[in-house]
């Protein structure tokens, strides 16, 4: 029960990510382009560039990036630094050898917060009863220089709290491009990013339900690596989120650069936690939800078919940029957060806690001890239709506005 309660606290901190996980931040300021140097990237067909971007996951790189977010989320419990990525300017330094071996540092005014995937020194591995072989571990190690504190997270990528790495240009760019179809991409003007002349494509979703007006992705033509991304919502003409490299090298980082080392100072600061093994704790949300008892969520919500399922407690629906996620959890997971959101009487016959932003909408409601989160990058009409189907499936008696006035 302690593990579940602990995970519930993390869910309360990280639920804001849930409503974004369908596009993991397909979420304001256009950067200044160096105009003194001519921009002349190699010619490339937009569909070809799209394919190169999709295939660029194995490209190694190291660089320094800046992200700017304009998504204002309510302060529910403590607004952790991960969620704040979507509403402020952040600076990230990345060393990426492969998809499962990397390090990303978020630079702050008082220090840095490091995140490591897949490589740990022998001392850390021994204390955790682990192997140093990356192939045997799916664990993220985090370290804060300010607190001299370490922590770990175990789990997959379907549903979790946000990581700074998710907003690096390669990660965000690939996610957006994968959601597109070849018919939705067109060429845009070349740009100069981190001293490189790069080609760009614009993704214009054909759906009338999505909140995304378009997304621009610039990439290195030879490797397909995205180097700059901006996302514009349907309610504005300015980007709601932008990320770009300020420095970039395509030289693979060394093994040493991506390995987490437990220095004597780190060992002393975390000694008691090591002794009690608390540092090796905590599943990611998808790992937890896979084992939570749940209900049979519907196969379809509104006009959207099931996409992915995580155990019995979570399901995503739709495709492309029409994405909706549904999570059903015990009410105590989110009981303190619901009071901080405005309530709204919906036309399908229920009162919900409502979150609205330019790039994502979400509704939360409770029935018979279980809280349902329904959110995604779709307009309110689409979300209402989805939430109504979830509520009916849960056994709620609904009286629509039209029925009430009859």
């Amino acid at each position: 029960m302690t593990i579940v309660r602990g995970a519930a606290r993390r869910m309360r901190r990280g639920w804001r990510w849930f409503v974004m996980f369908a596009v993991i931040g397909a979420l304001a300021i256009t950067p200044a382009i160096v105009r003194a140097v001519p921009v002349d990237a190699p010619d490339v067909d937009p569909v070809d560039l799209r394919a190169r971007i999709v295939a660029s996951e194995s490209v190694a790189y190291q660089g320094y990036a800046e992200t700017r977010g304009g998504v204002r989320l309510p302060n529910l419990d403590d607004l952790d630094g991960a969620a704040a990525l979507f509403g402020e300017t952040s600076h990230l330094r990345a060393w990426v050898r492969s998809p499962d071996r990397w390090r990303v540092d978020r630079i702050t005014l008082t220090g840095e917060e490091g995140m490591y995937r897949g490589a740990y020194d022998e001392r850390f591995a021994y204390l955790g009863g682990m192997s140093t072989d990356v192939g045997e571990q799916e664990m993220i190690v985090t370290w804060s220089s300010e607190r001299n504190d370490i922590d770990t997270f175990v789990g997959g990528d379907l549903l979790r709290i946000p990581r700074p790495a998710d907003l690096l240009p390669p990660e965000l760019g690939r996610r957006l491009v994968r959601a597109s179809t070849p018919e939705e991409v067109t060429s845009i003007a070349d740009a100069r990013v981190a001293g490189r002349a790069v080609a760009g494509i614009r993704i214009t979703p054909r759906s009338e339900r999505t909140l995304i007006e378009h997304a621009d992705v610039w990439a290195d033509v030879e490797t397909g690596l995205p180097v700059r991304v901006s996302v514009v919502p349907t309610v504005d003409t300015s980007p709601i989120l932008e990320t770009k490299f300020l420095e970039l090298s395509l030289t693979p980082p060394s093994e040493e650069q991506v390995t987490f080392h437990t220095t004597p100072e780190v060992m002393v600061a975390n000694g008691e936690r090591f002794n009690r093994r608390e540092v090796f704790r905590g599943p990611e949300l998808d790992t937890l939800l896979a084992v939570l008892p749940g209900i049979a969520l519907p196969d379809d919500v509104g006009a959207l078919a099931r996409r992915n399922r995580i155990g019995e407690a979570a399901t995503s629906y739709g495709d492309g940029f029409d994405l909706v996620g549904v999570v059903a959890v015990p009410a105590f997971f989110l009981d303190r957060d619901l009071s901080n959101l405005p309530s709204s009487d919906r036309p399908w016959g229920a009162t919900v806690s409502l979150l609205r932003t330019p790039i994502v909408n979400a509704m939360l409601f409770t029935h018979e001890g279980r809280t349902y989160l329904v959110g995604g990058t779709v307009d309110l009409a689409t979300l209402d239709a989805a939430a109504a189907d979830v509520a009916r499936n849960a056994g709620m008696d609904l009286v629509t506005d039209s029925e009430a006035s009859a």
Side-chain angles (χ1 to χ4, degrees), residues 58-309:
S58 62
V59 177
Y61 66 89
Q62 46 190 312
Y64 181 63
E66 178 182 79
T67 71
R68 296 175 183 263
V71 181
R72 306 300 175 185
L73 298 174
N75 187 7
L76 303 178
D77 204 356
D78 54 325
L79 182 62
D80 54 55
L85 285 169
F86 295 97
E88 60 186 37
T89 298
S90 298
H91 294 92
L92 310 174
R93 186 165 293 281
W95 298 262
V96 178
R97 283 178 62 87
S98 67
D100 57 8
R101 194 170 288 226
W102 48 261
R103 169 188 172 188
V104 176
D105 288 355
R106 184 184 183 196
I107 312 301
T108 68
L109 293 176
T110 56
E112 64 185 53
E113 299 171 353
M115 184 168 286
Y116 299 75
R117 166 67 190 271
Y120 333 102
D121 65 14
E122 292 182 357
R123 179 185 295 163
F124 185 80
Y126 172 77
L127 290 167
M130 307 177 300
S131 167
T132 56
D133 182 359
V134 65
E136 296 185 15
Q137 301 298 327
E138 293 186 2
M139 186 172 73
I140 302 293
V141 178
T142 65
W143 171 75
S144 168
S145 65
E146 183 178 3
R147 300 186 305 272
N148 202 18
D149 186 42
I150 59 178
D151 213 337
T152 60
F153 302 90
V154 180
D157 286 329
L158 291 177
L159 180 61
R160 54 175 170 76
I161 58 177
R163 302 169 183 161
D166 294 321
L167 293 188
L168 286 168
E171 293 301 314
L172 182 58
R174 280 192 290 261
R175 291 182 184 274
L176 289 165
V177 170
R178 288 186 185 122
S180 71
T181 65
E183 294 75 23
E184 292 176 319
V185 300
T186 56
S187 294
I188 55 176
D190 297 342
R192 185 167 294 278
V193 180
R196 295 173 177 270
V198 294
I201 57 174
R202 170 162 294 178
I203 303 167
T204 305
R206 293 187 172 186
S207 168
E208 296 182 356
R209 304 185 186 102
T210 183
L211 297 175
I212 299 174
E213 169 62 30
H214 68 261
D216 295 338
V217 181
W218 287 266
D220 176 70
V221 173
E222 182 177 351
T223 64
L225 187 76
V227 297
R228 174 182 160 192
V229 180
S230 69
V231 181
V232 176
T234 56
V235 297
D236 201 351
T237 58
S238 299
I240 193 69
L241 184 131
E242 188 162 51
T243 177
K244 63 175 180 177
F245 280 117
L246 303 179
E247 302 172 7
L248 177 65
S249 169
L250 297 182
T251 301
S254 67
E255 185 73 18
E256 180 73 10
Q257 287 175 300
V258 300
T259 299
F260 177 73
H261 293 279
T262 47
T263 65
E265 292 78 14
V266 170
M267 292 294 296
V268 170
N270 295 275
E272 186 178 357
R273 295 181 68 205
F274 272 124
N275 292 337
R276 293 182 299 182
R277 298 176 69 87
E278 288 183 0
V279 71
F280 304 100
R281 68 172 183 85
E284 282 288 12
L285 299 183
D286 58 355
T287 304
L288 172 67
L289 291 171
V291 298
L292 272 182
I295 66 167
L297 293 171
D299 290 332
D300 303 282
V301 293
L304 306 177
R306 184 191 299 273
R307 179 186 179 96
N308 291 312
R309 181 172 179 174

